[in-house]
Amino acid sequence: MAVSASTRRKVRTVLSNVPWLFNLARGSVRFGRESIALGKLTYGHLASAISGSSEWQSVLPVQRPSKVSVQGADIIAWCRSQDLAQGHDAWYLSPSQWEASPLGFFRSRYPSNAGIKVAKNEAGVEGAYMVASAGRAMAQKRAHNHLHQSVAWNFFHLNGVAPRLYDLLEINGRTAAYVVEHLEAEPLHPGDCQEMVGRLKGLVEKGRAEFVSSYGWENADFQEPDCNGNLIRSGDRLAYVDIHNFALRNYDKTLREVALAASSASHFGGQSGVLGGKFLYQEVPGVKLPAKRSPSSRMRTYDKLLAEAGISLEGKVMFDIGCNLGLMGAEYLRRGAHWVHGWDMPYAIDGAYSTLMSIGCTRFSQTAGPFGPETRLFEQLPEHLKATRPEDGIVSYLAIRGHVNWLPGLRELPWRYMIYEGHQNDEELSVYLDQLQQLVPVRLVTSGSVSDALSASRDSAIIERLA
C-alpha cells in the first residue's frame, strides 16, 4: 500500500517526539548485552508513546507515606505546650528537639541532620496543609494536599529553593509531619532575600509553579531581610523553608523532561538508526514513554514470589545493587520499605536522584561507582543505615550479576533475604546459586521467571541467607 507524503510527515513528526524506534531491518534493537524481540512490540506501546503524559496527581507520589503510632501522647497538644519555632500552619523541631520529644523514638532511623515539621491541620496526609482561616479560603483550595505537597517540595529542592525532604509521615492516622533536612543558620548576606525571591518568581514565570498565597509578593514572607524567617543561609546554600505558598503547574511536562533527560543515563541506551536518540531502559511513573523495562509490572512478579516466601517489604531497608535510575527502588518504597540505598555507575546515579525526587520519592540514598570486587558496600552506607539488623535488610540484585558477578561486599551487608533476577540466556539458576554459596551460605526459597514490557524472560528468585 502506498503511503502519502503527508502521512509520512505525520509519522516523522510523531517519531521525532518519541525517544524510541525499532530497526525493522534488523528485527530487534540492542540494549548493551541485551536485546528485545519485535514480537514484544504491540500497538499499546505506540499508542502509549503518542498519547502523552497522564495526570500526575493520579499516580504520584509513588512512595507510600510512613505511618507512625505514638501511644499515650497527643502530638498536637504537646507541640502547643512547647516553645517551638512555628508558622501559621506548622511547628518545627530541630534534631535535638525531635530527639527529646514524644516522637524521638524513631529519630535515629533518619539522617542525623533531620528535623521534623509537624502540621497543625489534623486531616491526615490527604488533607490540606494550610489551616483554614479568614482570607485563606481560596489559597487553601488552590494549594496541594500533603501527598502532592511532598512532590512539590522535591521540585523546589531540585531547583535550588527548598532543603531536602526525607519523608512524609502520618502520625496516629491524623497528623501529617515532614522529615526535613535541618540547616544550621548563618548570617544572611545582603541581597539574599532578593535572590531567593527571584528564584521563586522565575519558576512561576516559566509556568512550572503557581503562587497560591492570597497576599501576593508583598507579603512579609518575601521581604527583606530574611523573608519573615523563612530564608536560611548555610555555607554557600540558600534555602527557603516554607514552600507551601506554591503549587505545581504543568508538572506533566516537567516529568516528561526529566524522563527524556534520564534516558541518556539509563543502562543499555540503544541508539536509533533513524532518529539518533536513546531509548528509555525503565518506564517513569506518570509519563507515557515506552521503555525496555516496566518496573511496575516487573514488581508484580516479585510480589508473588515474596508472598510465596511470606516476606513483606514494609519497614525494610533495601540494598539496591545496580539500581540504574532507582525505579525498582521506587516500587519498594511504594510497598512501604523504610529506606532504599542504591549503588550504580556515576552516569546512572546522576539521573537517578532527579528521577526519584521527581516522582515523589524521598527515603533513599545512593553511592556512585565504579564498584567491583574491592568495593566495601557496608562502609559506603549512610550512618543511619549501618545499625540495620540483618532481619530488616533485603538485597535487590536485579540483572546485575552478569555485569559485576557476586560482589564480595555482600558478606558485610546486613541482610537476610535477596530479591534476585538473572539475564536472558543464562545457565541454570543453580549454577549461580553455587557461586553465591562461595561468599555466603544461602538457600533458594522460591523462584520463577520475569518478563516485562519489551524485555525477554529471565530467572527470578527469593534467596535466603543462612548465616
Side-chain angles (χ1 to χ4, degrees):
M1 180 180 68
V3 180
S4 68
S6 62
T7 298
R8 284 196 295 269
R9 282 195 297 272
K10 289 177 181 178
V11 171
R12 196 179 190 90
T13 298
V14 169
L15 292 177
S16 297
N17 288 281
V18 178
W20 63 296
L21 184 66
F22 294 97
N23 188 332
L24 296 178
R26 291 172 57 192
S28 66
V29 66
R30 296 294 298 176
F31 286 84
R33 298 177 62 226
E34 313 268 343
S35 64
I36 53 179
L38 283 177
K40 288 276 188 176
L41 178 58
T42 66
Y43 171 79
H45 293 109
L46 181 59
S48 171
I50 295 174
S51 63
S53 301
S54 63
E55 291 294 328
W56 69 271
Q57 292 97 330
S58 66
V59 294
L60 302 184
V62 170
Q63 174 180 292
R64 186 197 303 177
S66 296
K67 294 187 181 295
V68 178
S69 177
V70 182
Q71 302 297 324
D74 183 330
I75 297 304
I76 296 296
W78 183 87
C79 287
R80 288 194 184 112
S81 71
Q82 303 299 305
D83 183 20
L84 301 173
Q86 64 176 299
H88 193 86
D89 303 299
W91 294 278
Y92 177 71
L93 285 70
S94 67
S96 60
Q97 289 174 318
W98 181 5
E99 191 79 46
S101 77
L103 303 174
F105 66 93
F106 64 93
R107 208 230 64 80
S108 63
R109 301 191 72 195
Y110 295 94
S112 61
N113 68 340
I116 191 168
K117 190 173 187 177
V118 179
K120 294 182 178 180
N121 194 21
E122 292 189 274
V125 293
E126 295 186 10
Y129 174 83
M130 290 186 173
V131 175
S133 61
R136 302 184 91 200
M138 184 59 69
Q140 187 182 39
K141 188 173 182 178
R142 294 164 63 197
H144 293 312
N145 64 16
H146 293 292
L147 288 172
H148 295 146
Q149 190 68 64
S150 67
V151 181
W153 191 303
N154 285 357
F155 169 79
F156 284 104
H157 170 66
L158 290 173
N159 282 277
V161 172
R164 177 167 175 181
L165 178 66
Y166 290 125
D167 205 359
L168 172 63
L169 310 175
E170 188 170 67
I171 303 170
N172 291 344
R174 64 179 186 274
T175 301
Y178 296 75
V179 180
V180 300
E181 176 188 15
H182 178 81
L183 299 174
E184 293 294 340
E186 300 174 7
L188 292 170
H189 297 173
D192 277 353
C193 181
Q194 183 178 2
E195 179 182 339
M196 179 54 70
V197 172
R199 294 181 195 176
L200 291 165
K201 286 184 175 180
L203 294 172
V204 172
E205 291 166 1
K206 291 176 182 176
R208 297 308 172 90
E210 177 183 5
F211 189 43
V212 301
S213 172
S214 304
Y215 305 108
W217 293 107
E218 293 73 29
N219 186 8
D221 288 348
F222 309 103
Q223 302 302 314
E224 299 280 2
D226 63 356
C227 296
N228 200 27
N230 291 314
L231 183 64
I232 294 176
R233 171 173 285 280
S234 183
D236 294 333
R237 290 181 62 189
L238 275 180
Y240 193 83
V241 299
D242 190 14
I243 51 88
H244 306 287
N245 284 315
F246 301 89
L248 296 176
R249 288 192 63 199
N250 299 313
Y251 196 62
D252 294 309
K253 183 177 181 180
T254 298
L255 276 176
R256 186 178 180 88
E257 291 173 354
V258 169
L260 290 173
S263 68
S264 64
S266 295
H267 293 172
F268 318 119
Q271 198 75 15
S272 164
V274 176
L275 300 180
K278 289 189 175 181
F279 305 104
L280 289 179
Y281 180 59
Q282 299 180 20
E283 292 174 358
V284 176
V287 181
K288 290 186 177 179
L289 286 175
K292 183 188 177 186
R293 304 307 305 266
S294 170
S296 58
S297 61
R298 188 182 185 187
M299 190 64 209
R300 286 192 286 273
T301 295
Y302 292 107
D303 285 336
K304 294 177 182 177
L305 293 180
L306 289 164
E308 289 175 11
I311 300 168
S312 170
L313 301 187
E314 186 84 33
K316 295 297 191 290
V317 174
M318 307 297 296
F319 304 115
D320 191 1
I321 299 173
C323 63
N324 193 258
L325 293 181
L327 293 167
M328 284 302 291
E331 293 300 322
Y332 302 148
L333 293 170
R334 188 198 298 275
R335 286 154 178 78
H338 170 65
W339 200 273
V340 177
H341 185 81
W343 287 263
D344 215 311
M345 301 298 288
Y347 60 79
I349 293 298
D350 288 345
Y353 189 83
S354 59
T355 300
L356 286 171
M357 282 278 165
S358 295
I359 62 175
C361 294
T362 61
R363 300 193 302 267
F364 70 91
S365 48
Q366 298 162 328
T367 297
F371 54 99
E374 304 304 319
T375 303
R376 304 300 296 272
L377 298 174
F378 181 81
E379 292 180 3
Q380 294 177 345
L381 292 177
E383 288 301 316
H384 73 285
L385 298 184
K386 290 183 176 178
T388 301
R389 301 178 304 172
E391 56 266 35
D392 293 328
I394 298 178
V395 167
S396 175
Y397 218 78
L398 306 183
I400 187 65
R401 188 216 73 251
H403 301 284
V404 300
N405 210 335
W406 295 111
L407 294 176
L410 287 169
R411 293 191 191 101
E412 285 75 42
L413 283 181
W415 60 279
R416 181 178 177 187
Y417 292 104
M418 174 186 289
I419 302 174
Y420 169 79
E421 181 180 301
H423 304 270
Q424 61 190 61
N425 302 319
D426 266 354
E427 298 182 55
E428 293 293 326
L429 177 59
S430 59
V431 172
Y432 307 108
L433 287 175
D434 288 343
Q435 294 172 1
L436 180 57
Q437 287 276 13
Q438 305 306 309
L439 285 177
V440 291
V442 296
R443 76 175 183 94
L444 178 65
V445 179
T446 187
S447 64
S449 63
V450 60
S451 177
D452 60 284
L454 303 175
S455 174
S457 179
R458 67 278 307 282
D459 287 329
S460 57
I462 304 297
I463 299 169
E464 183 180 12
R465 183 177 183 173
L466 301 178

